Amino acid sequence: ACAPPSAASGPLPFFQFRPRLESVDWRRLSAIDVDKVAGAVDVLTLQENIMNITFCKLEDEKCPHCQSGVDPVLLKLIRLAQFTIEYLLHSQEFLTSQLHTLEERLRLSHCDGEQSKKLLTKQAGEIKTLKEECKRRKKMISTQQLMIEAKANQCHFCDKAFMNQAFLQSHIQRRHAEENSRFEYQKNAQTEKLRSEIVVLKEELQLTRSELEAAHHASAVRFSKVPGRILWYFNYN
């Protein structure tokens, strides 16, 4: 996993010159061979003495022989050199910080790129799988449709199946003409028989309905005469 950039790589605070409070280490400076440093490009010696040279205070320094102070013009030159070195140190630190920030961003971008690449690879695999599944299902559906069509257009006299009804009818006329004639005759005979039975059932139903209506009418007439009979019985007695 890619970690977020650290707070140390953020922008530096506002720059200002530091006060000069250190004393000059004359003994250490006296031991330095300037020509040798220049000839050998001895950067290590410069790094070891740069802080003392940059932040030493020269205003109070006196000549050990005449006890006179540092020449004002020379002091101005040295102070300008100190300020220049301090600003260059600040710039170096700032640029180093910016470099670390850019390196961290580059690392995060690289991590994001790797993750995106993995995601694309995964999605490509999923798409490939889905395409294969769609192709398989499409083939299965086509096969099922062919089976359904074949079953719908299958000859009932043999096991052969055809692409459509036209081929099926042509096959029946060519191969099963006699069987088909008998089949049609039997089907028509059975249809006529069913029609006759339906007619008979309708007639029986109509007869039964008429008998029920007659019985209902007779019952109504019979019950309508009951009060008269009861009155005749009481008058007779």
Side-chain angles (χ1 to χ4, degrees):
C2 298
S6 60
S9 60
L12 295 177
F14 178 74
F15 172 75
Q16 61 182 2
F17 291 109
R18 289 167 49 182
R20 269 61 185 166
L21 302 176
E22 298 183 15
S23 300
V24 181
D25 191 350
W26 293 107
R27 181 177 298 179
R28 187 172 184 178
L29 290 178
S30 299
I32 298 174
D33 187 345
V34 178
D35 294 332
K36 185 178 180 180
V37 170
V41 192
D42 189 0
V43 179
L44 180 60
T45 300
L46 295 178
Q47 292 289 345
E48 291 174 351
N49 294 274
I50 192 171
M51 299 304 293
N52 182 254
I53 294 173
T54 304
F55 297 104
C56 67
K57 185 177 181 181
L58 296 174
E59 286 84 349
D60 298 334
E61 294 295 330
K62 303 291 184 179
C63 177
H65 302 288
C66 63
Q67 296 297 316
S68 60
V70 182
D71 182 76
V73 178
L74 179 61
L75 180 61
K76 182 183 293 186
L77 176 63
I78 294 174
R79 292 190 65 191
L80 287 174
Q82 287 179 323
F83 292 152
T84 302
I85 295 172
E86 183 180 2
Y87 182 73
L88 290 176
L89 289 174
H90 167 77
S91 299
Q92 181 183 14
E93 185 178 359
F94 177 77
L95 292 175
T96 301
S97 175
Q98 292 297 310
L99 178 61
H100 291 163
T101 301
L102 293 176
E103 288 177 346
E104 184 67 12
R105 290 180 180 176
L106 179 61
R107 185 183 68 85
L108 292 176
S109 299
H110 180 71
C111 290
D112 291 340
E114 289 296 324
Q115 291 179 355
S116 299
K117 186 177 180 180
K118 291 179 181 179
L119 180 60
L120 288 175
T121 303
K122 181 181 178 181
Q123 290 178 345
E126 292 176 351
I127 291 173
K128 183 179 179 181
T129 302
L130 289 175
K131 285 183 177 180
E132 292 176 353
E133 180 67 16
C134 290
K135 185 177 180 181
R136 186 184 67 82
R137 293 193 178 187
K138 185 177 180 180
K139 185 177 180 181
M140 182 176 65
I141 291 172
S142 299
T143 303
Q144 290 178 348
Q145 288 178 344
L146 290 175
M147 291 175 63
I148 292 172
E149 292 176 358
K151 188 174 181 180
N153 299 318
Q154 187 174 5
C155 178
H156 52 273
F157 298 111
C158 61
D159 296 333
K160 291 184 178 180
F162 300 88
M163 296 298 297
N164 51 50
Q165 283 289 327
F167 289 163
L168 175 61
Q169 293 300 326
S170 176
H171 165 76
I172 292 175
Q173 291 175 2
R174 287 185 292 103
R175 299 293 184 182
H176 308 286
E178 185 177 352
E179 296 173 271
N180 188 53
S181 298
R182 288 198 302 269
F183 176 76
E184 292 293 334
Y185 175 78
Q186 293 174 358
K187 184 172 69 173
N188 293 333
Q190 188 175 7
T191 302
E192 290 298 327
K193 182 180 179 182
L194 290 174
R195 286 178 181 174
S196 300
E197 292 177 355
I198 291 172
V199 171
V200 172
L201 288 174
K202 284 183 177 180
E203 292 176 352
E204 292 178 354
L205 179 61
Q206 184 64 32
L207 179 61
T208 303
R209 183 180 296 172
S210 299
E211 291 176 351
L212 288 174
E213 290 178 354
H216 178 70
H217 179 70
S219 177
V221 172
R222 185 171 59 254
F223 279 107
S224 64
K225 296 179 179 180
V226 169
R229 291 181 179 179
I230 295 174
L231 182 60
W232 173 81
Y233 175 79
F234 282 106
N235 291 333
Y236 180 78
N237 291 310

